[in-house]
PDB file of all heavy atoms in Angstrom:
ATOM      1  N   THR A 173     -26.567  23.559 -74.976  1.00 92.00           N
ATOM      2  CA  THR A 173     -27.696  23.077 -74.180  1.00 92.00           C
ATOM      3  C   THR A 173     -27.316  21.883 -73.318  1.00 92.00           C
ATOM      4  O   THR A 173     -27.702  21.794 -72.149  1.00 92.00           O
ATOM      5  CB  THR A 173     -28.873  22.697 -75.095  1.00 92.00           C
ATOM      6  OG1 THR A 173     -29.165  23.792 -75.957  1.00 92.00           O
ATOM      7  CG2 THR A 173     -30.107  22.332 -74.285  1.00 92.00           C
ATOM      8  N   TYR A 174     -26.564  20.947 -73.898  1.00 89.00           N
ATOM      9  CA  TYR A 174     -26.266  19.707 -73.184  1.00 89.00           C
ATOM     10  C   TYR A 174     -24.822  19.639 -72.705  1.00 89.00           C
ATOM     11  O   TYR A 174     -24.356  18.562 -72.307  1.00 89.00           O
ATOM     12  CB  TYR A 174     -26.602  18.505 -74.078  1.00 89.00           C
ATOM     13  CG  TYR A 174     -28.064  18.468 -74.423  1.00 89.00           C
ATOM     14  CD1 TYR A 174     -28.503  18.738 -75.723  1.00 89.00           C
ATOM     15  CD2 TYR A 174     -29.024  18.215 -73.452  1.00 89.00           C
ATOM     16  CE1 TYR A 174     -29.859  18.742 -76.041  1.00 89.00           C
ATOM     17  CE2 TYR A 174     -30.370  18.216 -73.750  1.00 89.00           C
ATOM     18  CZ  TYR A 174     -30.778  18.476 -75.043  1.00 89.00           C
ATOM     19  OH  TYR A 174     -32.115  18.482 -75.355  1.00 89.00           O
ATOM     20  N   SER A 175     -24.115  20.768 -72.765  1.00 93.00           N
ATOM     21  CA  SER A 175     -22.735  20.849 -72.245  1.00 93.00           C
ATOM     22  C   SER A 175     -21.865  19.725 -72.800  1.00 93.00           C
ATOM     23  O   SER A 175     -21.167  19.013 -72.051  1.00 93.00           O
ATOM     24  CB  SER A 175     -22.744  20.801 -70.710  1.00 93.00           C
ATOM     25  OG  SER A 175     -23.502  21.855 -70.174  1.00 93.00           O
ATOM     26  N   GLU A 176     -21.912  19.560 -74.103  1.00 95.00           N
ATOM     27  CA  GLU A 176     -21.111  18.536 -74.769  1.00 95.00           C
ATOM     28  C   GLU A 176     -20.175  19.195 -75.775  1.00 95.00           C
ATOM     29  O   GLU A 176     -20.507  20.208 -76.381  1.00 95.00           O
ATOM     30  CB  GLU A 176     -21.992  17.520 -75.496  1.00 95.00           C
ATOM     31  CG  GLU A 176     -22.828  16.654 -74.572  1.00 95.00           C
ATOM     32  CD  GLU A 176     -23.523  15.530 -75.332  1.00 95.00           C
ATOM     33  OE1 GLU A 176     -22.819  14.691 -75.931  1.00 95.00           O
ATOM     34  OE2 GLU A 176     -24.761  15.512 -75.345  1.00 95.00           O
ATOM     35  N   ASP A 177     -19.013  18.580 -75.956  1.00 96.00           N
ATOM     36  CA  ASP A 177     -18.041  19.062 -76.931  1.00 96.00           C
ATOM     37  C   ASP A 177     -17.252  17.841 -77.390  1.00 96.00           C
ATOM     38  O   ASP A 177     -16.473  17.279 -76.625  1.00 96.00           O
ATOM     39  CB  ASP A 177     -17.125  20.106 -76.285  1.00 96.00           C
ATOM     40  CG  ASP A 177     -16.310  20.889 -77.317  1.00 96.00           C
ATOM     41  OD1 ASP A 177     -16.082  20.346 -78.418  1.00 96.00           O
ATOM     42  OD2 ASP A 177     -15.899  22.018 -77.013  1.00 96.00           O
ATOM     43  N   PHE A 178     -17.498  17.398 -78.626  1.00 95.00           N
ATOM     44  CA  PHE A 178     -16.822  16.177 -79.086  1.00 95.00           C
ATOM     45  C   PHE A 178     -16.478  16.274 -80.569  1.00 95.00           C
ATOM     46  O   PHE A 178     -17.012  17.123 -81.300  1.00 95.00           O
ATOM     47  CB  PHE A 178     -17.674  14.932 -78.820  1.00 95.00           C
ATOM     48  CG  PHE A 178     -19.014  14.923 -79.508  1.00 95.00           C
ATOM     49  CD1 PHE A 178     -19.152  14.498 -80.825  1.00 95.00           C
ATOM     50  CD2 PHE A 178     -20.164  15.317 -78.824  1.00 95.00           C
ATOM     51  CE1 PHE A 178     -20.389  14.475 -81.450  1.00 95.00           C
ATOM     52  CE2 PHE A 178     -21.415  15.295 -79.441  1.00 95.00           C
ATOM     53  CZ  PHE A 178     -21.524  14.877 -80.758  1.00 95.00           C
ATOM     54  N   THR A 179     -15.583  15.399 -80.986  1.00 95.00           N
ATOM     55  CA  THR A 179     -15.129  15.361 -82.374  1.00 95.00           C
ATOM     56  C   THR A 179     -15.251  13.939 -82.903  1.00 95.00           C
ATOM     57  O   THR A 179     -14.924  12.970 -82.197  1.00 95.00           O
ATOM     58  CB  THR A 179     -13.669  15.823 -82.474  1.00 95.00           C
ATOM     59  OG1 THR A 179     -13.564  17.180 -82.047  1.00 95.00           O
ATOM     60  CG2 THR A 179     -13.155  15.707 -83.911  1.00 95.00           C
ATOM     61  N   ILE A 180     -15.729  13.808 -84.125  1.00 95.00           N
ATOM     62  CA  ILE A 180     -15.775  12.514 -84.809  1.00 95.00           C
ATOM     63  C   ILE A 180     -14.834  12.587 -86.003  1.00 95.00           C
ATOM     64  O   ILE A 180     -15.022  13.413 -86.903  1.00 95.00           O
ATOM     65  CB  ILE A 180     -17.207  12.174 -85.273  1.00 95.00           C
ATOM     66  CG1 ILE A 180     -18.148  12.051 -84.071  1.00 95.00           C
ATOM     67  CG2 ILE A 180     -17.199  10.880 -86.093  1.00 95.00           C
ATOM     68  CD1 ILE A 180     -19.589  11.799 -84.451  1.00 95.00           C
ATOM     69  N   ASP A 181     -13.807  11.745 -85.984  1.00 95.00           N
ATOM     70  CA  ASP A 181     -12.855  11.669 -87.091  1.00 95.00           C
ATOM     71  C   ASP A 181     -13.455  10.762 -88.164  1.00 95.00           C
ATOM     72  O   ASP A 181     -13.649   9.559 -87.936  1.00 95.00           O
ATOM     73  CB  ASP A 181     -11.522  11.109 -86.587  1.00 95.00           C
ATOM     74  CG  ASP A 181     -10.432  11.160 -87.648  1.00 95.00           C
ATOM     75  OD1 ASP A 181     -10.763  11.174 -88.847  1.00 95.00           O
ATOM     76  OD2 ASP A 181      -9.250  11.182 -87.269  1.00 95.00           O
ATOM     77  N   LEU A 182     -13.767  11.313 -89.319  1.00 96.00           N
ATOM     78  CA  LEU A 182     -14.458  10.555 -90.364  1.00 96.00           C
ATOM     79  C   LEU A 182     -13.581   9.475 -90.982  1.00 96.00           C
ATOM     80  O   LEU A 182     -14.090   8.566 -91.637  1.00 96.00           O
ATOM     81  CB  LEU A 182     -14.968  11.501 -91.449  1.00 96.00           C
ATOM     82  CG  LEU A 182     -15.995  12.542 -90.975  1.00 96.00           C
ATOM     83  CD1 LEU A 182     -16.425  13.433 -92.128  1.00 96.00           C
ATOM     84  CD2 LEU A 182     -17.209  11.874 -90.342  1.00 96.00           C
ATOM     85  N   THR A 183     -12.262   9.552 -90.785  1.00 93.00           N
ATOM     86  CA  THR A 183     -11.377   8.538 -91.360  1.00 93.00           C
ATOM     87  C   THR A 183     -11.328   7.267 -90.511  1.00 93.00           C
ATOM     88  O   THR A 183     -10.940   6.204 -90.998  1.00 93.00           O
ATOM     89  CB  THR A 183      -9.940   9.082 -91.503  1.00 93.00           C
ATOM     90  OG1 THR A 183      -9.427   9.407 -90.203  1.00 93.00           O
ATOM     91  CG2 THR A 183      -9.932  10.320 -92.380  1.00 93.00           C
ATOM     92  N   ARG A 184     -11.747   7.378 -89.254  1.00 88.00           N
ATOM     93  CA  ARG A 184     -11.732   6.189 -88.382  1.00 88.00           C
ATOM     94  C   ARG A 184     -12.821   6.297 -87.315  1.00 88.00           C
ATOM     95  O   ARG A 184     -12.577   6.076 -86.134  1.00 88.00           O
ATOM     96  CB  ARG A 184     -10.357   6.017 -87.731  1.00 88.00           C
ATOM     97  CG  ARG A 184      -9.830   7.247 -87.018  1.00 88.00           C
ATOM     98  CD  ARG A 184      -8.421   7.008 -86.466  1.00 88.00           C
ATOM     99  NE  ARG A 184      -7.896   8.182 -85.775  1.00 88.00           N
ATOM    100  CZ  ARG A 184      -8.130   8.471 -84.509  1.00 88.00           C
ATOM    101  NH1 ARG A 184      -8.886   7.678 -83.778  1.00 88.00           N
ATOM    102  NH2 ARG A 184      -7.609   9.556 -83.961  1.00 88.00           N
ATOM    103  N   ARG A 185     -13.983   6.638 -87.768  1.00 81.00           N
ATOM    104  CA  ARG A 185     -15.074   6.799 -86.800  1.00 81.00           C
ATOM    105  C   ARG A 185     -15.486   5.442 -86.236  1.00 81.00           C
ATOM    106  O   ARG A 185     -15.489   4.429 -86.931  1.00 81.00           O
ATOM    107  CB  ARG A 185     -16.263   7.523 -87.438  1.00 81.00           C
ATOM    108  CG  ARG A 185     -16.993   6.787 -88.529  1.00 81.00           C
ATOM    109  CD  ARG A 185     -18.100   7.702 -89.068  1.00 81.00           C
ATOM    110  NE  ARG A 185     -19.021   7.033 -89.943  1.00 81.00           N
ATOM    111  CZ  ARG A 185     -18.890   6.980 -91.266  1.00 81.00           C
ATOM    112  NH1 ARG A 185     -17.854   7.554 -91.845  1.00 81.00           N
ATOM    113  NH2 ARG A 185     -19.791   6.351 -91.997  1.00 81.00           N
ATOM    114  N   GLU A 186     -15.852   5.457 -84.980  1.00 76.00           N
ATOM    115  CA  GLU A 186     -16.184   4.220 -84.297  1.00 76.00           C
ATOM    116  C   GLU A 186     -17.175   4.498 -83.174  1.00 76.00           C
ATOM    117  O   GLU A 186     -17.294   5.622 -82.687  1.00 76.00           O
ATOM    118  CB  GLU A 186     -14.912   3.596 -83.710  1.00 76.00           C
ATOM    119  CG  GLU A 186     -14.166   4.535 -82.761  1.00 76.00           C
ATOM    120  CD  GLU A 186     -12.812   4.013 -82.355  1.00 76.00           C
ATOM    121  OE1 GLU A 186     -12.433   2.931 -82.817  1.00 76.00           O
ATOM    122  OE2 GLU A 186     -12.148   4.700 -81.561  1.00 76.00           O
ATOM    123  N   ASP A 187     -17.893   3.454 -82.817  1.00 76.00           N
ATOM    124  CA  ASP A 187     -18.772   3.563 -81.661  1.00 76.00           C
ATOM    125  C   ASP A 187     -17.929   3.595 -80.392  1.00 76.00           C
ATOM    126  O   ASP A 187     -16.930   2.881 -80.272  1.00 76.00           O
ATOM    127  CB  ASP A 187     -19.739   2.378 -81.594  1.00 76.00           C
ATOM    128  CG  ASP A 187     -20.790   2.439 -82.693  1.00 76.00           C
ATOM    129  OD1 ASP A 187     -21.194   3.557 -83.051  1.00 76.00           O
ATOM    130  OD2 ASP A 187     -21.175   1.376 -83.201  1.00 76.00           O
ATOM    131  N   ILE A 188     -18.311   4.455 -79.472  1.00 79.00           N
ATOM    132  CA  ILE A 188     -17.598   4.588 -78.209  1.00 79.00           C
ATOM    133  C   ILE A 188     -18.471   4.050 -77.084  1.00 79.00           C
ATOM    134  O   ILE A 188     -19.653   4.407 -76.985  1.00 79.00           O
ATOM    135  CB  ILE A 188     -17.219   6.054 -77.937  1.00 79.00           C
ATOM    136  CG1 ILE A 188     -16.270   6.561 -79.033  1.00 79.00           C
ATOM    137  CG2 ILE A 188     -16.594   6.206 -76.571  1.00 79.00           C
ATOM    138  CD1 ILE A 188     -15.923   8.025 -78.882  1.00 79.00           C
ATOM    139  N   LYS A 189     -17.894   3.224 -76.243  1.00 79.00           N
ATOM    140  CA  LYS A 189     -18.636   2.670 -75.110  1.00 79.00           C
ATOM    141  C   LYS A 189     -19.077   3.803 -74.181  1.00 79.00           C
ATOM    142  O   LYS A 189     -18.303   4.704 -73.870  1.00 79.00           O
ATOM    143  CB  LYS A 189     -17.761   1.676 -74.347  1.00 79.00           C
ATOM    144  CG  LYS A 189     -18.512   0.908 -73.270  1.00 79.00           C
ATOM    145  CD  LYS A 189     -17.609  -0.127 -72.612  1.00 79.00           C
ATOM    146  CE  LYS A 189     -18.368  -0.915 -71.554  1.00 79.00           C
ATOM    147  NZ  LYS A 189     -17.503  -1.936 -70.893  1.00 79.00           N
ATOM    148  N   ASN A 190     -20.351   3.755 -73.786  1.00 81.00           N
ATOM    149  CA  ASN A 190     -20.941   4.762 -72.893  1.00 81.00           C
ATOM    150  C   ASN A 190     -20.936   6.165 -73.490  1.00 81.00           C
ATOM    151  O   ASN A 190     -20.890   7.169 -72.770  1.00 81.00           O
ATOM    152  CB  ASN A 190     -20.219   4.782 -71.539  1.00 81.00           C
ATOM    153  CG  ASN A 190     -20.314   3.453 -70.812  1.00 81.00           C
ATOM    154  OD1 ASN A 190     -21.353   2.804 -70.836  1.00 81.00           O
ATOM    155  ND2 ASN A 190     -19.225   3.059 -70.162  1.00 81.00           N
ATOM    156  N   ALA A 191     -20.976   6.238 -74.830  1.00 85.00           N
ATOM    157  CA  ALA A 191     -21.042   7.542 -75.500  1.00 85.00           C
ATOM    158  C   ALA A 191     -22.382   8.200 -75.214  1.00 85.00           C
ATOM    159  O   ALA A 191     -23.390   7.537 -74.916  1.00 85.00           O
ATOM    160  CB  ALA A 191     -20.860   7.367 -77.000  1.00 85.00           C
ATOM    161  N   SER A 192     -22.409   9.521 -75.307  1.00 90.00           N
ATOM    162  CA  SER A 192     -23.663  10.245 -75.086  1.00 90.00           C
ATOM    163  C   SER A 192     -24.649   9.939 -76.199  1.00 90.00           C
ATOM    164  O   SER A 192     -24.281   9.498 -77.295  1.00 90.00           O
ATOM    165  CB  SER A 192     -23.396  11.754 -75.051  1.00 90.00           C
ATOM    166  OG  SER A 192     -23.065  12.232 -76.352  1.00 90.00           O
ATOM    167  N   GLY A 193     -25.921  10.196 -75.918  1.00 89.00           N
ATOM    168  CA  GLY A 193     -26.937  10.007 -76.943  1.00 89.00           C
ATOM    169  C   GLY A 193     -26.700  10.894 -78.156  1.00 89.00           C
ATOM    170  O   GLY A 193     -26.982  10.502 -79.293  1.00 89.00           O
ATOM    171  N   THR A 194     -26.182  12.102 -77.918  1.00 93.00           N
ATOM    172  CA  THR A 194     -25.896  13.027 -79.018  1.00 93.00           C
ATOM    173  C   THR A 194     -24.832  12.452 -79.941  1.00 93.00           C
ATOM    174  O   THR A 194     -24.988  12.437 -81.172  1.00 93.00           O
ATOM    175  CB  THR A 194     -25.424  14.390 -78.471  1.00 93.00           C
ATOM    176  OG1 THR A 194     -26.369  14.871 -77.533  1.00 93.00           O
ATOM    177  CG2 THR A 194     -25.258  15.396 -79.589  1.00 93.00           C
ATOM    178  N   TYR A 195     -23.736  11.974 -79.362  1.00 94.00           N
ATOM    179  CA  TYR A 195     -22.665  11.371 -80.153  1.00 94.00           C
ATOM    180  C   TYR A 195     -23.202  10.191 -80.963  1.00 94.00           C
ATOM    181  O   TYR A 195     -22.936  10.066 -82.167  1.00 94.00           O
ATOM    182  CB  TYR A 195     -21.540  10.908 -79.225  1.00 94.00           C
ATOM    183  CG  TYR A 195     -20.366  10.274 -79.943  1.00 94.00           C
ATOM    184  CD1 TYR A 195     -19.241  11.024 -80.264  1.00 94.00           C
ATOM    185  CD2 TYR A 195     -20.377   8.922 -80.277  1.00 94.00           C
ATOM    186  CE1 TYR A 195     -18.158  10.449 -80.919  1.00 94.00           C
ATOM    187  CE2 TYR A 195     -19.303   8.335 -80.936  1.00 94.00           C
ATOM    188  CZ  TYR A 195     -18.190   9.092 -81.251  1.00 94.00           C
ATOM    189  OH  TYR A 195     -17.136   8.518 -81.900  1.00 94.00           O
ATOM    190  N   SER A 196     -23.978   9.323 -80.304  1.00 94.00           N
ATOM    191  CA  SER A 196     -24.480   8.119 -80.963  1.00 94.00           C
ATOM    192  C   SER A 196     -25.393   8.459 -82.133  1.00 94.00           C
ATOM    193  O   SER A 196     -25.334   7.816 -83.192  1.00 94.00           O
ATOM    194  CB  SER A 196     -25.226   7.240 -79.955  1.00 94.00           C
ATOM    195  OG  SER A 196     -24.365   6.800 -78.929  1.00 94.00           O
ATOM    196  N   ILE A 197     -26.241   9.475 -81.954  1.00 96.00           N
ATOM    197  CA  ILE A 197     -27.176   9.803 -83.022  1.00 96.00           C
ATOM    198  C   ILE A 197     -26.451  10.423 -84.212  1.00 96.00           C
ATOM    199  O   ILE A 197     -26.803  10.181 -85.373  1.00 96.00           O
ATOM    200  CB  ILE A 197     -28.316  10.720 -82.518  1.00 96.00           C
ATOM    201  CG1 ILE A 197     -29.609  10.436 -83.304  1.00 96.00           C
ATOM    202  CG2 ILE A 197     -27.981  12.193 -82.629  1.00 96.00           C
ATOM    203  CD1 ILE A 197     -30.237   9.112 -83.007  1.00 96.00           C
ATOM    204  N   VAL A 198     -25.387  11.208 -83.960  1.00 96.00           N
ATOM    205  CA  VAL A 198     -24.593  11.742 -85.070  1.00 96.00           C
ATOM    206  C   VAL A 198     -23.912  10.601 -85.823  1.00 96.00           C
ATOM    207  O   VAL A 198     -23.877  10.588 -87.061  1.00 96.00           O
ATOM    208  CB  VAL A 198     -23.552  12.770 -84.570  1.00 96.00           C
ATOM    209  CG1 VAL A 198     -22.656  13.215 -85.724  1.00 96.00           C
ATOM    210  CG2 VAL A 198     -24.258  13.985 -83.972  1.00 96.00           C
ATOM    211  N   ARG A 199     -23.395   9.635 -85.078  1.00 95.00           N
ATOM    212  CA  ARG A 199     -22.801   8.449 -85.727  1.00 95.00           C
ATOM    213  C   ARG A 199     -23.836   7.753 -86.601  1.00 95.00           C
ATOM    214  O   ARG A 199     -23.527   7.336 -87.739  1.00 95.00           O
ATOM    215  CB  ARG A 199     -22.285   7.474 -84.652  1.00 95.00           C
ATOM    216  CG  ARG A 199     -20.975   7.868 -84.039  1.00 95.00           C
ATOM    217  CD  ARG A 199     -19.792   7.463 -84.937  1.00 95.00           C
ATOM    218  NE  ARG A 199     -19.667   6.006 -84.990  1.00 95.00           N
ATOM    219  CZ  ARG A 199     -19.993   5.258 -86.040  1.00 95.00           C
ATOM    220  NH1 ARG A 199     -20.466   5.817 -87.130  1.00 95.00           N
ATOM    221  NH2 ARG A 199     -19.848   3.944 -86.006  1.00 95.00           N
ATOM    222  N   GLY A 200     -25.038   7.621 -86.109  1.00 96.00           N
ATOM    223  CA  GLY A 200     -26.085   6.978 -86.896  1.00 96.00           C
ATOM    224  C   GLY A 200     -26.437   7.765 -88.144  1.00 96.00           C
ATOM    225  O   GLY A 200     -26.703   7.179 -89.210  1.00 96.00           O
TER     226      GLY A 200
END
């Protein structure tokens, strides 16, 4: 739907500057 494709490495996950709302909410 939102044309996004990303990976979060659980061993070193971090906030990314200017990350999409989808990425940020998964991090949360």
Side-chain angles (χ1 to χ4, degrees):
T173 307
Y174 298 110
S175 301
E176 293 189 61
D177 194 335
F178 61 84
T179 297
I180 298 177
D181 187 335
L182 298 180
T183 62
R184 52 183 180 85
R185 67 182 191 268
E186 57 189 1
D187 289 326
I188 298 176
K189 188 176 181 180
N190 299 321
S192 71
T194 307
Y195 180 96
S196 298
I197 211 70
V198 175
R199 282 279 292 107

